[in-house]
Amino acid sequence: NAGVTQTPKFQVLKTGQSMTLQCAQDMNHEYMSWYRQDPGMGLRLIHYSVGAGITDQGEVPNGYNVSRSTTEDFPLRLLSAAPSQTSVYFCASSYSSGRAGELFFGEGSRLTVL
Amino acid sequence: AQSVAQPEDQVNVAEGNPLTVKCTYSVSGNPYLFWYVQYPNRGLQFLLKYITGDNLVKGSYGFEAEFNKSQTSFHLKKPSALVSDSALYFCAVSGGPSSGSARQLTFGSGTQLTVLP
């Protein structure tokens, strides 16, 4: 099983550029989420989705958009990149019930904004 | 609002010795508590969770954690550390199903565990 797949693994952007981080899972998980990881701050929730067509904001949503047109895919869009968005981004998914909270993480996407 | 504190940025322990990584939490109602491990340049991996029941929870790779409601703590433990346990460990909390946020995990800042040979 591929699990959670994130692309690209590395990206360098200039301030003001836009881009999309891709996330796909093949486990038929209803719940998907995006986190950013910064040194000394742990992981912070950006956006999440409890199913196709449903998204909601997490702790740090500003500057990011998401959509969930299919169960499998949950892309994260940076509208106008800023140096403060330099971070490692993780996509995670989980079952809808029973094993809620047992997140499966992708390998991460390291973004640098110059 | 829910929160997690991991008071130690770094824990060093000799191989074969017991290890403890500390975690305290704050959440409304009954908590769901989790431990995750991250190896270099990898995503986080689920280790164990507490939902309800026995306060001592056993998980992967010989790890266990003890839930203490009065101290609002959920410390990670292992009786005998291995060099291969060296990694970054994260504690996380979410509210129970009645909170509407059972899957919105809040993570601590992480504790780097180094097991010395």
Side-chain angles (χ1 to χ4, degrees), chain B residues 47-69:
Chain B
L47 271 182
L48 53 80
K49 72 178 181 183
Y50 171 84
I51 301 296
T52 186
D54 194 347
N55 289 344
L56 186 63
V57 178
K58 295 186 182 299
S60 306
Y61 313 120
F63 283 94
E64 57 190 28
E66 186 170 12
F67 171 64
N68 187 317
K69 187 173 183 178

Side-chain angles (χ1 to χ4, degrees), chain A residues 50-73:
Chain A
V50 298
I54 305 169
T55 63
D56 207 345
Q57 296 180 352
E59 179 184 358
V60 288
N62 292 341
Y64 307 95
N65 273 356
V66 292
S67 60
R68 185 92 180 271
S69 57
T70 67
T71 299
E72 295 78 18
D73 300 301

